[in-house]
Amino acid sequence: FLVSVTVTPALCLLILPSARIPDQEPALLRWLKRIYRPVLDWALGHRAAVSLTSVALLVLALAALPFLDRSFLPPFNEGALTIGVVTAPGISLEESDALGRSVEEALLAFPEVVSTSRRTGRAEKDEHVQGVNRSELEVVLREGRPKEELLEEMRRAVATLPGAGVTFGQPISHRIDHMISGSRSNLAVKIFGPDLTVLRGVAAQIEKVLVGVEGIVDLSNQEQASVPQLLIDPDRSALARHGLSSAGFAQTVEALFQGAQAGEIVEDGVVSRVVVRFPESLRRDRDRLEELPLMTPAGQRIRLGDVASARFDLGPSLVRRESVQRVAVITANVAGTDLAGTVERAQRQVASEVELPIGYRVVFGGQFEEAESGVRTLALLAGVILVGMYGVLYLAFRDHRRAAIVAVNLPLALIGGITAVVLFGGVLSLATLVGFVTLFGIATRNGVLLVSHYQHLIRDEGHGLLEAVRRGSEERLAPILMTALTTGLALIPLVAAGHKAGNEIQSPMGLVILGGLVSSGLLNLVLIPVLFARWGGERPTVDHAAAIGS
């Protein structure tokens, strides 16, 4: 903008006086005008037909919207996979490692797989701590079969491995899912309620329902499993007799099993902590557990069994909370169909087939929830933008009718944008919605070029309304086509390279803008002259004093 109002005029003053001005217009422009004149004359003579046709095209485009697939973000093509392997809680590291190797061997059998790397479990103080029953594989791919076909075959290959739940994702997509819902998949079905046993039962019912929903893959409910646990129940009266408090007893038991720091060793500047705890062999047998020694405040040594009872039992592998409430989570991915439609089908089936106890509720989260939130936010911002655009147009023309005529470019642009998505994309995502909002500003420019020139011809050169429309439309044919072509040509590389990694968001956005430029550019040259010839003339002025006198 700054260059166009400062540098460009200065360059024109320097260069144009010495430039050779052609005696006539270029041949291409003369040919375009010969085609455009009869079209314009016909449109001005059939105003109702032109207006109704434009409205019909808009209605058809809007009618196609409910049939488009919907998702949060376009599918990424990252050239790599992040695969999660979940086994039963309580499995040993050796068994989990062996199962992880089996998954790697199954994946390496595919010619598209270059290499795999795996992490099984994470340290207790890791930012993303996980037990040894969980593994993460990073798989590097080479060019080959279409990604959806490859993933389908990979799922079949690992489905035969017993006791393993395998979830397929991609490095960036995987982390986006994790940030949105805390899960590592597209969809997270959350069941809220107070009782863990009831939560596990409801989660199992919902899991059975989701298995039959078309498009849902990588279904996992592993974290709801029960695992063996050692329970130590203190006898408060016995603790009181020996002068022990519940807190002190808990700290002592924790030291027996988890260890307690007894000191530090400094060697060559390296500090190592010394942690003392009982050997694992003494902590496996319930009878031997009760023989473990405790010290009372009086210095007397007693048995753990004198003040508590030890027993093995089954308990929850994980107690998850969200917003203070207990929650069970079922995770899944969506493949081969759109995210929003699949989730809506799942919601209907869960609502009809699963009866929730009082005090329990189900929430479908993940990308589906984020998509709804993103659309609401974008719709609100788009409304504010449109009001602001109309205000700027009114300030420019000082007339609501002319501002409204320019604003007609917005629905004209929608026609081409929606058509482009239907023909080449088929999926509405946040990227396409951003493209529509961007398109509104670009499309309005052509209307401003026409209406402002009509206004100039009527006010400054004294032309009649129809003459100004005909002459102004022909004179603005070249600028409108040039601005549309220069913008459109810049977008073609983005649209053509939509399958390339890193271009997944720019390509749908460019596709919408390119389609909207085509429709608004073509219809703009026909409908805007028709509307201006009907509504854009100067309003008659009334001499109020003469009217009162008469």
Side-chain angles (χ1 to χ4, degrees), residues 304-340:
L304 186 143
D306 294 335
V307 293
S309 61
R311 59 186 174 89
F312 289 100
D313 202 348
L314 292 177
S317 60
L318 176 69
V319 179
R320 184 190 290 270
R321 288 182 180 271
E322 187 173 307
S323 301
V324 191
Q325 291 182 292
R326 285 177 173 173
V327 59
V329 181
I330 302 173
T331 60
N333 283 322
V334 175
T337 183
D338 69 308
L339 175 66

Side-chain angles (χ1 to χ4, degrees), residues 86-232:
V86 183
T87 60
I91 191 174
S92 67
L93 176 60
E94 292 76 14
E95 292 175 336
S96 182
D97 180 48
L99 188 58
R101 282 199 303 271
S102 299
V103 174
E104 286 184 285
E105 291 169 0
L107 296 175
L108 288 169
F110 289 88
E112 291 85 356
V113 175
V114 177
S115 63
T116 64
S117 59
R118 174 170 52 92
R119 287 188 301 269
T120 297
R122 292 202 181 192
E124 292 180 359
K125 293 188 178 181
D126 192 284
E127 291 182 354
H128 300 282
V129 60
Q130 63 183 22
V132 296
N133 66 311
R134 291 180 176 269
S135 298
E136 277 188 359
L137 284 78
E138 303 293 338
V139 180
V140 180
L141 303 176
R142 62 168 62 94
E143 292 289 335
R145 283 169 286 183
K147 188 180 67 175
E148 290 300 328
E149 178 184 337
L150 177 63
L151 289 178
E152 186 177 351
E153 293 192 17
M154 285 182 168
R155 288 187 174 102
R156 283 200 295 265
V158 300
T160 57
L161 297 175
V166 184
T167 302
F168 287 80
Q170 298 181 95
I172 298 176
S173 309
H174 163 85
R175 282 154 182 80
I176 291 175
D177 292 332
H178 204 181
M179 288 188 295
I180 290 174
S181 64
S183 66
R184 295 170 172 82
S185 54
N186 299 156
L187 176 62
V189 183
K190 301 177 182 179
I191 307 101
F192 293 88
D195 189 280
L196 289 175
T197 304
V198 177
L199 282 177
R200 286 199 294 271
V202 174
Q205 294 180 49
I206 293 177
E207 184 181 15
K208 291 180 181 178
V209 173
L210 295 179
V211 168
V213 178
E214 181 185 358
I216 287 187
V217 296
D218 303 337
L219 194 61
S220 176
N221 188 23
Q222 290 281 358
E223 68 176 22
Q224 308 306 324
S226 296
V227 295
Q229 293 183 347
L230 170 64
L231 301 179
I232 298 177

Side-chain angles (χ1 to χ4, degrees), residues 513-526:
I513 297 173
L514 192 58
L517 283 175
V518 172
S519 68
S520 67
L522 296 177
L523 293 174
N524 184 81
L525 291 168
V526 176

Side-chain angles (χ1 to χ4, degrees), residues 357-374:
I358 297 176
Y360 293 78
R361 59 188 177 94
V362 177
V363 174
F364 284 75
Q367 286 196 18
F368 170 78
E369 188 179 21
E370 195 68 19
E372 289 187 329
S373 174

Side-chain angles (χ1 to χ4, degrees), residues 11 28 38 66 108 124 131 136 142 155 173 198 225 303 329 350 361 415 419 423 426 453 469 480 483 493 500 526 549:
L11 290 176
L28 176 61
L108 288 169
E124 292 180 359
E136 277 188 359
R142 62 168 62 94
R155 288 187 174 102
S173 309
V198 177
R303 298 165 53 253
V329 181
V350 168
R361 59 188 177 94
I415 295 171
T419 303
L423 295 178
H453 195 50
V469 168
I480 288 175
T483 55
K500 297 291 185 182
V526 176

